[in-house]
Amino acid sequence: MSAARIVPVTTLAVLQARMSSSRLPGKVMLPLLGEPMVVRQVERIWRSRRIDGIVLATSTDPSDDPLVELAASLGIAVVRGPLDDVLARYVLAIEQHEPDVVVRLTADCPLTSPSVIDAVIEQFDASDVDYCSNTLTPTFPDGLDAEVVRASVLVDVAGVSDDAAEREHVTLGVYRRPERYRLANHSGTVDLSSLRWTVDTPDDLAFVTSVYEALYPVNHDFDLSDVLRLLEREPGLSRTTADEVRNAALVGLDTGAMNA
């Protein structure tokens, strides 16, 4: 793993992580082909051509001390803030690193795609918008989510919102307010939104482990197309939204533009 890149940063990936996940505690540190799962994700994020730096955003809870120690060993910058107010952690990252643009990523997605991240950033850069993601109308597998937002917009939301859901889900306060912020969605050419590649359960982890065992030894840089070819050869491996609900934490919330 290479050392952390030095600022100046214009486009900053903020990778949010915590050890106290309710469904699979400590999941981000569980082993995936000999390394903690979060390390595998950091490897993939660094392959993005459009990201200038990575910050791990975790909490001040003592349970997250191992994450801080791991990040230090990788040369990754860390910010620590409230356990439940994740938006506050992002504001801390913005204050410390002064990026123009933030890419929001979560640490339970070890199949995250560098090419998809870059495509979302490229659409953001080419559009006159405040926020661009591939999640407003999902067409990519769950676990390949990427959200790109102006840093000043996140600071603005943090200053006006005391809604607990908006503080926990970070960008919810952006896309709930299409009258205030300009939004764009990045869509794929094929709808793959029924595929589940994130990790919330032991079965999710088993799927991701199978993918890594099949692809990583041959090609460390495997990407979306390689996983799809694997699933074509071995359809029994696949997990879908029939196995688990997509974005279960947002179910029941008024998510504004996401329901459009």
Side-chain angles (χ1 to χ4, degrees):
M1 181 67 59
S2 60
R5 300 177 191 180
I6 305 300
V7 290
V9 170
T10 57
T11 299
L12 180 71
V14 178
L15 182 64
Q16 62 187 71
R18 63 188 175 100
M19 293 290 288
S20 54
S21 51
S22 58
R23 299 178 69 185
L24 189 59
K27 62 184 177 182
V28 298
M29 291 288 282
L30 292 176
L32 183 56
L33 233 60
E35 293 285 356
M37 187 171 76
V38 66
V39 172
R40 296 303 185 198
Q41 185 160 357
V42 168
E43 288 177 347
R44 298 178 69 79
I45 295 169
W46 271 136
R47 284 167 39 209
S48 163
R49 297 174 292 102
R50 304 301 299 268
I51 285 174
D52 301 304
I54 303 174
V55 170
L56 181 74
T58 192
S59 85
T60 54
D61 191 272
S63 66
D64 287 325
D65 289 350
L67 278 171
V68 176
E69 295 170 6
L70 177 65
S73 73
L74 299 174
I76 299 294
V78 176
V79 295
R80 305 188 76 171
L83 182 62
D84 296 321
D85 189 349
V86 188
L87 178 58
R89 295 186 226 160
Y90 277 72
V91 171
L92 285 172
I94 291 166
E95 290 175 346
Q96 292 181 22
H97 295 274
E98 300 183 340
D100 299 310
V101 174
V102 167
V103 181
R104 182 197 178 206
L105 300 166
T106 58
D108 53 3
C109 299
L111 294 178
T112 191
S113 167
S115 63
V116 172
I117 292 171
D118 284 344
V120 178
I121 296 172
E122 286 163 6
Q123 182 166 340
F124 176 90
D125 288 344
S127 308
D128 188 21
V129 295
D130 299 303
Y131 169 94
C132 181
S133 76
N134 60 355
T135 61
L136 296 179
T137 303
T139 58
F140 290 90
D142 188 7
L144 270 64
D145 296 358
E147 299 177 273
V148 185
V149 60
R150 295 188 191 281
S152 59
V153 167
L154 286 180
V155 174
D156 185 50
V157 170
V160 301
S161 177
D162 58 4
D163 182 284
E166 293 182 359
R167 309 294 305 195
E168 179 182 0
H169 297 292
V170 182
T171 55
L172 178 60
V174 179
Y175 53 74
R176 262 183 173 176
R177 296 175 172 84
E179 78 287 347
R180 185 180 182 107
Y181 305 117
R182 298 160 297 174
L183 312 177
N185 186 75
H186 175 73
S187 297
T189 56
V190 178
D191 185 359
L192 303 172
S193 60
S194 66
L195 297 177
R196 178 176 176 82
W197 295 1
T198 189
V199 176
D200 283 321
T201 70
D203 286 343
D204 292 335
L205 182 60
F207 163 72
V208 167
T209 299
S210 295
V211 171
Y212 266 81
E213 288 174 345
L215 298 180
Y216 191 84
V218 178
N219 177 16
H220 288 6
D221 296 339
F222 73 88
D223 205 346
L224 168 62
S225 60
D226 301 294
V227 183
L228 292 174
R229 283 193 291 269
L230 172 65
L231 296 182
E232 287 179 1
R233 297 194 303 269
E234 301 185 42
L237 283 180
S238 191
R239 283 182 64 72
T240 72
T241 51
D243 298 302
E244 298 285 342
V245 175
R246 185 176 185 128
N247 292 327
L250 293 172
V251 172
L253 292 177
D254 174 13
T255 53
M258 288 189 73
N259 293 327

